[in-house]
Amino acid sequence: MQDVITQVSYLIAAALFVFSLRWLNRPTTARRGVAAGVAGMLAAVFGTLLHPEIVNFTWIAVAVLVGTAIGIPLSRVPLTAVPQRTALSHAFGGLAAGLVGTAKYQLWLGEGELTPFRTSAIAIEVLLGFLTFTGSLMAAGKLQEVIPTRPITYPKQNVINLSLLGIAIASGIGLVLNPENWMLFPVIVALSLLFGVLLILPIGGADMPTVISLLNSYAGLAAVAMGFVLENKLLITAGALDGASGFILSVIMCRAMNRSFANVLFGAFGQVQAAAAQGEQKAVKSATAIDAADYLANANSAVIVPGYGLAVAQAQHRVREVYDQLTRRGVTVRFAIHPVAGRMPGHMNVLLAEADIPYEALVEMDEINGDMPQCDVCLVVGANDVVNPAARSDRSSPIYGMPIIDADKARVVLAIKRTMNPGFAGIDNALYSADNTLMVFGDAKAVLSDIAGALRAEQEGQAAA
Ligand code: NAP
């Protein structure tokens, strides 16, 4: 009976995971998707706890307590730190897979039950699990800037890295052929841990979000292998869903940046950018928030381009005030959404949804670009790389070919940022020194507050007159 309840719980959990992914696809159903994912995980844990093989619950209770103690603070990080938080989750997933594989190898070695199939599954699980562990820790460290974000390169790096991976795979094959040769096991573990570190070293911070979703896919594949080791069908299903969705997300990000996988993994992207950033800076024109309010108030149509700086400043509610003030005056206001604005896909959608900005006002990059020449004022809020015209025109630029929002084609561009520092890609942006651009220097939240205040004061002045 217990087994039937476990199997039914697993079936429900698998269905909920599929629905969760489906619902997470659309902003309107995303909350339902999260709830389905949580419910699916609860059903999976419930079904597993009923498993007749479990005779002692003490260690499970300890693991739940430790996991909860780590998980609760992790869930409270700001939205801008979600990529590194996600990397830490993958690190834990990879470590769990690696440790379960190690424990099973030791157990079955003692009992003489290491079949070639079991040993293959363990070798794959341990390799992917441990490399995901150290790779994800490195990625989280780079994003949190506790380790240098620039690519660290040395001669013959790719050859060395691929050779180490080759030796690890060869050791895995050796272990499958002779499972009793336990000396190969620590070699696989050590090389996988080392490969995880070396894989991330040459990748610049700007590529970390893509790498994180790739590591997500490795963690999923490690879970599939773990499912085969533990003979758990739900783990195989959930791991496959995780692996495939991580891979699809990486492909979407690469496409949005017009980059290939090989270029992300072996291209040392940030290094070229650091050199490009040395170029001399042209003079820029600056304006006050009151000037900006004036331009916006007199526009027929305005496009707001949100970027990472909007998230840093947590200015979503202030941009909503500006949006309200302008739409009340009859200005057509739309938000131009770039697929990789911010630090994760959908970052801007989540941020603007927090401020209840209507979805109809959010327009995808491809759709809005055709309208940009007719746009009176383009207000760029903390966006940089995603509006950098070098991506369209400068063949030598490291972001050449990346689709951008054509902010520069608007009649007037107002760009809010604190300094002339470059964005995440580390390169200068000619948009800021263009003839039709005015810089409004300051923190996005403060500047948008001032713009909203100026618009309100003008409206009240008109009403009183
Ligand atoms: P960005 O190029 O990183 O630029 C953000 C700008 O915001 C900076 O120039 C910064 O200038 C400004 N800023 C920071 N804090 C601010 C504040 N408090 N107030 C006002 N401005 C502030 O951002 P983006 O244009 O959104 O581009 C995203 C980048 O991430 C791209 O390079 C993209 O390829 C990369 N990326 C994204 C994803 C993803 O999934 N979203 C994935 C992979 C890579 P100041 O410091 O001068 O203020």
Side-chain angles (χ1 to χ4, degrees), residues 206-207 209-210 253 257 306-309 312-313 339-345 347 382-387 402 416-425 432 442-445:
D207 279 332
T210 320
M253 283 197 230
M257 295 186 291
Y308 178 62
V312 176
V340 290
R343 291 292 178 268
M344 57 191 166
H347 200 164
N384 194 337
D385 298 339
V386 298
V387 289
M402 172 171 131
I416 303 175
K417 72 197 290 289
R418 297 164 305 178
T419 62
M420 283 305 287
N421 286 347
F424 208 47
Y432 301 142
D443 173 74
K445 193 171 185 173

Side-chain angles (χ1 to χ4, degrees), residues 245-457:
S245 55
F247 184 72
I248 293 169
L249 196 57
S250 317
V251 172
I252 292 174
M253 283 197 230
C254 279
R255 279 211 190 128
M257 295 186 291
N258 194 30
R259 312 266 312 281
S260 67
F261 264 137
N263 189 260
V264 169
L265 289 176
F266 307 114
F269 189 52
Q271 213 174 44
V272 197
Q273 293 152 3
Q278 314 284 321
E280 66 179 68
Q281 283 184 353
K282 288 199 196 132
V284 297
K285 297 187 286 292
S286 62
T288 64
I290 297 177
D291 300 332
D294 216 32
Y295 275 107
L296 287 163
N298 290 306
N300 281 322
S301 79
V303 169
I304 301 177
V305 186
Y308 178 62
L310 183 87
V312 176
Q314 284 293 294
Q316 59 274 36
H317 297 287
R318 298 292 99 81
V319 87
R320 165 82 209 229
E321 277 177 44
V322 172
Y323 170 82
D324 285 344
Q325 287 288 336
L326 293 173
T327 44
R328 224 171 275 153
R329 286 161 184 261
V331 182
T332 309
V333 186
R334 290 177 300 165
F335 289 83
I337 306 297
H338 191 285
V340 290
R343 291 292 178 268
M344 57 191 166
H347 200 164
M348 296 301 121
N349 300 66
V350 174
L351 213 57
L352 298 176
E354 248 179 56
D356 286 327
I357 291 170
Y359 277 122
E360 312 81 71
L362 274 55
V363 186
E364 299 288 329
M365 171 179 67
D366 294 336
E367 221 175 298
I368 204 142
N369 269 348
D371 296 347
M372 289 313 288
Q374 285 83 49
C375 164
D376 295 319
V377 180
C378 177
L379 180 66
V380 178
V381 187
N384 194 337
D385 298 339
V386 298
V387 289
N388 192 337
R392 251 187 357 234
S393 55
D394 180 359
R395 282 186 174 273
S396 67
S397 170
I399 60 165
Y400 180 71
M402 172 171 131
I404 56 156
I405 291 171
D406 295 335
D408 57 327
K409 294 191 177 163
R411 290 187 185 113
V412 174
V413 180
L414 301 167
I416 303 175
K417 72 197 290 289
R418 297 164 305 178
T419 62
M420 283 305 287
N421 286 347
F424 208 47
I427 49 172
D428 286 339
N429 191 338
L431 173 73
Y432 301 142
S433 51
D435 290 343
N436 58 339
T437 301
L438 293 165
M439 299 299 297
V440 192
F441 287 112
D443 173 74
K445 193 171 185 173
V447 173
L448 287 167
S449 281
D450 291 349
I451 294 178
L455 288 168
R456 207 176 309 118

Side-chain angles (χ1 to χ4, degrees), residues 96-294:
L99 290 179
V100 167
T102 308
K104 276 289 185 188
Y105 177 74
Q106 201 201 4
L107 194 76
W108 282 333
L109 183 68
E111 293 170 354
E113 288 188 24
L114 279 170
T115 61
F117 179 76
R118 280 180 168 176
T119 319
S120 313
I122 287 176
I124 296 171
E125 178 188 354
V126 166
L127 196 129
L128 287 172
F130 282 126
L131 88 80
T132 304
F133 172 56
T134 46
S136 300
L137 283 183
M138 289 285 296
K142 280 208 173 192
L143 280 170
Q144 193 61 33
E145 292 179 29
V146 288
I147 47 177
T149 55
R150 71 189 161 78
I152 298 168
T153 53
Y154 46 85
K156 303 245 183 299
Q157 191 163 29
N158 292 337
V159 178
I160 295 172
N161 289 359
L162 292 175
S163 306
L164 285 177
L165 181 66
I167 300 172
I169 293 172
S171 307
I173 295 171
L175 197 70
V176 174
L177 295 175
N178 182 8
E180 305 293 315
N181 186 3
W182 64 267
M183 298 280 280
L184 287 174
F185 197 85
V187 175
I188 303 174
V189 174
L191 288 178
S192 311
L193 289 169
L194 183 63
F195 182 73
V197 175
L198 297 180
L199 179 75
I200 304 303
L201 273 186
I203 305 177
D207 279 332
M208 271 316 125
T210 320
V211 171
I212 283 173
S213 57
L214 206 59
L215 288 166
N216 178 13
S217 125
Y218 295 166
L221 293 178
V224 171
M226 181 156 69
F228 281 110
V229 171
L230 298 176
E231 289 171 19
N232 185 315
K233 290 189 194 92
L234 181 63
L235 212 46
I236 298 173
T237 316
L241 288 173
D242 194 17
S245 55
F247 184 72
I248 293 169
L249 196 57
S250 317
V251 172
I252 292 174
M253 283 197 230
C254 279
R255 279 211 190 128
M257 295 186 291
N258 194 30
R259 312 266 312 281
S260 67
F261 264 137
N263 189 260
V264 169
L265 289 176
F266 307 114
F269 189 52
Q271 213 174 44
V272 197
Q273 293 152 3
Q278 314 284 321
E280 66 179 68
Q281 283 184 353
K282 288 199 196 132
V284 297
K285 297 187 286 292
S286 62
T288 64
I290 297 177
D291 300 332
D294 216 32

